[in-house]
Amino acid sequence: MYLAYSLLLSLGLIVLIPHFLFQALAHGKYIAGLRQRLGSIPPVKGKPVIWLHCVSVGETQAARPLAKRLKQQFPQHDLVVSTITLTGQTLARDVFRSQAASVFYFPFDWRWTVRRALTAVNPAAVLIMETELWPNFLRECKTRRIPVALVNGRISRQSYRRYRLIKSFFRRVLSSLSIAVMQSEADAARLEELGMPKERLFTAGNLKFDAELGTELTGKTEELRKRFAFDSSLPLILAASTHAPEEQIILETIQKLRQKQPVRLMLAPRHPERFNEVAGLLQKSGLSWTRRTNPPNPNDANATVILLDTIGELPATYALAQIVFVGGSIVDKGGHNVLEPAAAGATVVTGAHTHNFHAIVELMNEAGALVQLPVLENAAASDELAYVFEKLLASPAEREELGRRAKQLITTNQGAADRTMQLIAPPIIAANAHTS
């Protein structure tokens, strides 16, 4: 079965070569770190190594409280961090610059690339964030007796249905995990149904509840506030992690709102390769606008729309906005992280499609800590959004209460990082004793 998986992986990469080439030439994706993706990773020598793997930006942000505790509890170890995406790599190099001995790209999941990477890094333990279960990588770790922990694990309903189609193979993949620490009981139940032994399966909550706003982000917030003259007298709506056609829907919403009251918009597309595409929409909108990456200009203070075309700055913007709309939720992309704006005490609005964060959105709905829209056709979405935004802007007390409940929910559910550390520390300690 592993051979069939490797052949399918190779075939898939061959079929997708034209797509990869286009993305590499047009956006610089995939070509970055190609040598590392092929397993040529700079050797990590000296201390025992803990390898923390994140996929992209969301997992990297979520891993911050765990990385902090790993460095505190295991100062005799080096921490290394891997990502798959370019955006995740960029952010990881920034946020882990004082904690990680090395940040690199995760290897393609062929046995020879995995073996090269593991030989170079020689980890004492591997921690995998959320759902990154690469069969050949896990199998090779098991062969080398390297403990692997799945942390902040989650299995969405869609993923669960897909994995059930290959349940016998997936059970073998899960047998390579030393421990799985899941976000919720529902996630744990799905993983157990897929074959994870119950004695190695635990629930610790979601690390995203423990996310901290770094001092560098606080400084960034003030920089943005001053440059763009954000103040409460002119409301700011932040549209975060948007996908097409959500940007067009949001722009139409702002145009409708501005017929009744002045309002500003900060627009943060989910994928950097779409920044120029969204800039084209802004150019056609008739609204005054600027890009974050443009040189500072006195007109920045008067721009109706600010395009946040940077990586890693989004968490610094939540405290600036009266309302935060979290994208990937009007279109069916599963939604994005509602906890970061909630932690900032923002008034959070999201669409109906939030299956990637089902448990969190459910908690926030139960606590009355966010506004969730019904399922909307694109044509009707701007009218509904305009109505919701107008109602919230007219009621500061309601916005304040939504923000207060959101922050209280965060406080109540914190502690996942400490609980996770209690569960994963014994395998790391045992691995260190074995290798010493």
Side-chain angles (χ1 to χ4, degrees), residues 343-406:
T347 300
V348 181
V349 177
T350 189
H353 301 291
T354 56
H355 57 78
N356 287 340
F357 293 86
H358 173 74
I360 292 172
V361 171
E362 192 173 64
L363 276 176
M364 292 186 70
N365 270 321
E366 288 174 358
L370 90 168
V371 176
Q372 185 167 23
L373 306 172
V375 175
L376 297 168
E377 297 295 331
N378 291 347
S382 62
D383 286 334
E384 180 66 19
L385 268 179
Y387 169 77
V388 170
F389 290 167
E390 183 180 4
K391 181 172 177 289
L392 288 170
L393 290 174
S395 180
E398 183 179 357
R399 297 201 312 271
E400 183 179 345
E401 182 62 15
L402 283 163
R404 187 194 66 77
R405 291 172 182 170

Side-chain angles (χ1 to χ4, degrees), residues 402-420:
L402 283 163
R404 187 194 66 77
R405 291 172 182 170
K407 291 191 80 169
Q408 181 59 48
L409 182 71
I410 298 289
T411 302
T412 302
N413 286 275
Q414 285 178 336
D418 291 330
R419 291 189 290 270
T420 299

Side-chain angles (χ1 to χ4, degrees), residues 258-331:
R258 284 176 60 82
Q259 293 174 7
K260 300 181 179 180
Q261 65 178 106
V263 64
R264 300 178 76 188
L265 171 69
M266 180 173 280
L267 189 53
R270 175 68 175 179
H271 296 118
E273 61 268 25
R274 296 191 59 247
F275 288 159
N276 288 337
E277 174 192 335
V278 176
L281 293 176
L282 287 167
Q283 191 65 35
K284 296 174 184 176
S285 71
L287 299 168
S288 63
W289 68 283
T290 189
R291 301 176 75 134
R292 163 65 170 140
T293 55
N294 285 347
N297 185 294
N299 291 328
D300 290 343
N302 302 314
T304 298
V305 185
I306 296 89
L307 175 60
L308 189 68
D309 55 346
T310 56
I311 298 168
E313 288 190 330
L314 183 58
T317 66
Y318 295 128
L320 298 168
Q322 277 65 50
I323 298 172
V324 176
F325 167 76
V326 180
S329 57
I330 291 179
V331 294

Side-chain angles (χ1 to χ4, degrees), residues 6 25 36 40 63 87 93 100 199 203 205 222 230 247 261 322 328 334 342 351 374-375 387:
S6 297
L25 293 172
Q36 293 178 0
S40 182
T87 53
R93 290 181 184 277
E199 65 273 13
T203 302
E222 292 310 307
F230 293 133
E247 294 90 4
Q261 65 178 106
Q322 277 65 50
V375 175
Y387 169 77

Side-chain angles (χ1 to χ4, degrees), residues 49 61 74 118 142 146 157-158 161 166 178 204 221 235 244-245 250 285 290 357 364 383 390 396 416 427:
V49 172
Q61 292 283 19
F74 297 100
L118 286 171
K142 184 178 181 180
I146 300 168
R157 284 176 293 181
Q158 284 81 352
R161 286 196 289 267
I166 52 168
S178 306
T221 300
I250 291 292
S285 71
T290 189
F357 293 86
M364 292 186 70
D383 286 334
E390 183 180 4

Side-chain angles (χ1 to χ4, degrees), residues 90-144:
T90 302
L91 182 63
R93 290 181 184 277
D94 180 32
V95 302
F96 296 127
R97 62 185 179 275
S98 62
Q99 295 169 317
S102 180
V103 178
F104 50 84
Y105 284 95
F106 192 78
F108 292 127
D109 198 40
W110 292 305
R111 293 190 71 182
W112 66 274
T113 50
V114 164
R115 286 172 174 173
R116 289 181 74 191
L118 286 171
T119 297
V121 178
N122 190 28
V126 174
L127 310 179
I128 296 174
M129 289 289 294
E130 299 204 3
T131 53
E132 278 293 281
L133 301 175
W134 293 101
N136 282 327
F137 180 81
L138 294 177
R139 187 187 192 192
E140 190 62 28
C141 285
K142 184 178 181 180
T143 299
R144 297 182 184 219

Side-chain angles (χ1 to χ4, degrees), residues 21-35:
L21 285 174
F22 171 77
Q23 291 293 333
L25 293 172
H27 307 297
K29 295 181 71 176
Y30 306 119
I31 197 70
L34 182 59
R35 286 174 56 85

